[in-house]
Amino acid sequence: FSIVSIDYSGLEMASCATQLYKTFGSSKMLDLLNTGDIPFDMHSNYGRLLKGMKEGLEVSYDEFVANKKKAGYKEYRQTGKPVNLSFPGGVGYDTMRYLMAQDDIYPEYKVLTRSVSECQCDMVCKQLWSKGYDNIRKKRLSREEWAVVYDELVGMKKALFVLYPELEEFLTDYHKTFLTGEIGKVKNEFGEWEEEPYYRYQIKTLDGEVFTRDYCTYTACCNGYLMQSPSAMGAKRAMYKIIKKYAEHPYMIPQVFVHDEIIFEVAGSEKYAIIEDVSRIMIESMQEVLPEVRIAVEAEEFPECWKKAGGVWTREFWKSPGEILRSRGS
């Protein structure tokens, strides 16, 4: 037996793109994901914008993808990953900075002025904005102190919204349609109690499944509605079908499902046909929930033990809406 892992590729963005399309009737993110005949690299596409912002260069998507593993390119793609995957979930700048630091990514940040008056910091921000200064925001430092800071993340978020205007509309205004009118109390990082408005959202599929989540915070609503809940619904369908089909199979033994990845043992002369079949089930099950977007998975075979990378055999499978299953790799 070999150990095989198959995980969804870019699932969060596929879900977000579809939910934006369902919400607004259009989605630039969806258009990008469905571009061309092979899976579109969203992180490279955003990375090329970052490279252009930092270096004053205009880099094409094709050029960036061709060089994405090289110095001068790969660091921009790596920086773009958490921006692409976390800002759509409604996270703030400070949380984003913490998440990026886990991967040793540190966007430029500097405290420009401090004040005990929040209003004073608001005035300074407006003055700087009026003079054309970018990447300026207000930040609370303690219970009694505020600051005006230069934060490169502000520009990164603006660039994201240029790519995905529907996302900006959702995060800044449309989310309010999910407010329930109920208010809770939460303690902030400074030990103060604050009011927290609650949200409720539903995910509905074409075949009648309805998932409802109530008493959400803003971040939980954005993250759940746009990315996590639809992805989980599709993944659950896939796992049910795979387990049901292969429960008694002598050469395919399902072992574990982790987030968006199934790990199983497989043997015999038909093992690669089984890998393709499991990939197809994963893709088609997800498209029952996200029917408008191309879904891709990556399969990797390990002879001795499961690892995150470095298998002896890899292959990518994908399926665009209304088309047949395609693949590439070893």
Side-chain angles (χ1 to χ4, degrees), residues 166-181:
E166 294 86 4
L167 178 62
E168 180 179 17
E169 183 176 354
F170 184 93
L171 295 179
T172 57
D173 189 56
Y174 189 85
H175 68 88
K176 297 174 185 176
T177 62
F178 298 109
L179 286 169
T180 66

Side-chain angles (χ1 to χ4, degrees), residues 56-67:
L57 303 171
E58 185 172 341
V59 183
S60 71
Y61 170 78
D62 291 336
E63 176 190 341
F64 195 100
V65 170
N67 296 280

Side-chain angles (χ1 to χ4, degrees), residues 3 45 64 106 140 155 186-187 221 236 264 280 297 309 325:
I3 296 177
N45 190 54
F64 195 100
Y106 302 97
R140 191 176 185 185
V186 295
K187 187 174 286 189
C221 178
K236 185 176 181 179
F264 56 93
R280 178 191 58 78
V297 299
L325 184 72

Side-chain angles (χ1 to χ4, degrees), residues 38-50:
I38 62 176
F40 189 81
D41 188 343
M42 300 291 273
H43 300 319
S44 287
N45 190 54
Y46 181 73
R48 73 179 183 87
L49 290 186
L50 293 183

Side-chain angles (χ1 to χ4, degrees), residues 4 46 293:
V4 172
Y46 181 73
V293 68

Side-chain angles (χ1 to χ4, degrees), residues 215-230:
Y215 294 99
C216 303
T217 62
Y218 165 76
T219 303
C221 178
C222 295
N223 193 39
Y225 178 81
L226 291 177
M227 296 188 292
Q228 287 191 344
S229 295

Side-chain angles (χ1 to χ4, degrees), residues 50-329:
L50 293 183
K51 185 176 177 68
M53 290 165 56
K54 291 284 286 187
E55 301 180 12
L57 303 171
E58 185 172 341
V59 183
S60 71
Y61 170 78
D62 291 336
E63 176 190 341
F64 195 100
V65 170
N67 296 280
K68 66 181 183 179
K69 295 183 179 181
K70 298 179 181 179
Y73 293 85
K74 66 179 181 180
E75 58 266 34
Y76 290 111
R77 188 179 185 277
Q78 191 66 24
T79 299
K81 284 184 178 181
V83 176
N84 262 329
L85 298 176
S86 298
F87 270 142
V91 304
Y93 293 115
D94 295 327
T95 301
M96 177 64 79
R97 185 167 295 281
Y98 170 80
L99 293 173
M100 296 176 85
Q102 308 309 302
D103 294 322
D104 293 322
I105 302 171
Y106 302 97
E108 189 175 348
Y109 175 87
K110 183 179 180 180
V111 175
L112 302 179
T113 184
R114 300 169 182 260
S115 176
V116 295
S117 170
E118 181 181 1
C119 292
Q120 179 66 30
C121 288
D122 286 331
M123 292 176 58
V124 173
C125 284
K126 290 178 181 179
Q127 291 172 358
L128 292 173
W129 293 333
S130 68
K131 295 179 180 179
Y133 289 93
D134 294 325
N135 303 346
I136 303 297
R137 69 178 178 93
K138 177 181 66 178
K139 174 179 170 57
R140 191 176 185 185
L141 301 178
S142 67
R143 282 194 176 194
E144 300 177 352
E145 188 175 27
W146 297 78
V148 176
V149 302
Y150 174 90
D151 191 346
E152 191 179 8
L153 283 174
V154 175
M156 291 183 181
K157 191 173 186 179
K158 289 178 181 178
L160 192 74
F161 288 160
V162 170
L163 283 177
Y164 318 129
E166 294 86 4
L167 178 62
E168 180 179 17
E169 183 176 354
F170 184 93
L171 295 179
T172 57
D173 189 56
Y174 189 85
H175 68 88
K176 297 174 185 176
T177 62
F178 298 109
L179 286 169
T180 66
E182 295 186 70
I183 302 292
K185 293 281 189 178
V186 295
K187 187 174 286 189
N188 64 23
E189 60 182 303
F190 307 108
E192 302 166 333
W193 287 100
E194 294 181 340
E195 291 188 344
E196 182 82 64
Y198 285 132
Y199 293 75
R200 178 191 302 114
Y201 68 85
Q202 284 189 335
I203 308 295
K204 299 180 181 180
T205 63
L206 294 176
D207 58 6
E209 182 181 1
V210 178
F211 173 85
T212 303
R213 186 174 179 186
D214 205 348
Y215 294 99
C216 303
T217 62
Y218 165 76
T219 303
C221 178
C222 295
N223 193 39
Y225 178 81
L226 291 177
M227 296 188 292
Q228 287 191 344
S229 295
S231 300
M233 293 168 71
K236 185 176 181 179
R237 289 176 177 225
M239 291 309 103
Y240 171 79
K241 293 176 183 178
I242 291 168
I243 299 298
K244 184 176 181 179
K245 182 171 184 177
Y246 288 101
E248 303 298 329
H249 197 284
Y251 298 117
M252 192 288 197
I253 308 171
Q255 292 288 7
V256 66
F257 184 74
V258 184
H259 300 299
D260 62 352
E261 176 178 12
I262 186 173
I263 302 169
F264 56 93
E265 293 180 79
V266 65
S269 60
E270 300 297 318
K271 70 176 180 179
Y272 294 116
I274 292 173
I275 293 172
E276 179 175 336
D277 184 53
V278 173
S279 299
R280 178 191 58 78
I281 294 173
M282 291 176 67
I283 291 171
E284 292 180 353
S285 298
M286 190 61 66
Q287 286 182 324
E288 292 175 6
V289 180
L290 307 173
E292 294 88 359
V293 68
R294 177 187 294 140
I295 298 295
V297 299
E298 296 178 348
E300 196 159 9
E301 178 186 3
F302 304 93
E304 296 178 351
C305 63
W306 172 79
K307 298 181 289 185
K308 287 301 292 181
V312 297
W313 180 92
T314 61
R315 195 161 189 87
E316 184 178 25
F317 298 88
W318 69 90
K319 190 173 183 290
S320 298
E323 297 186 3
I324 63 172
L325 184 72
R326 297 185 180 185
S327 66
R328 62 180 177 179

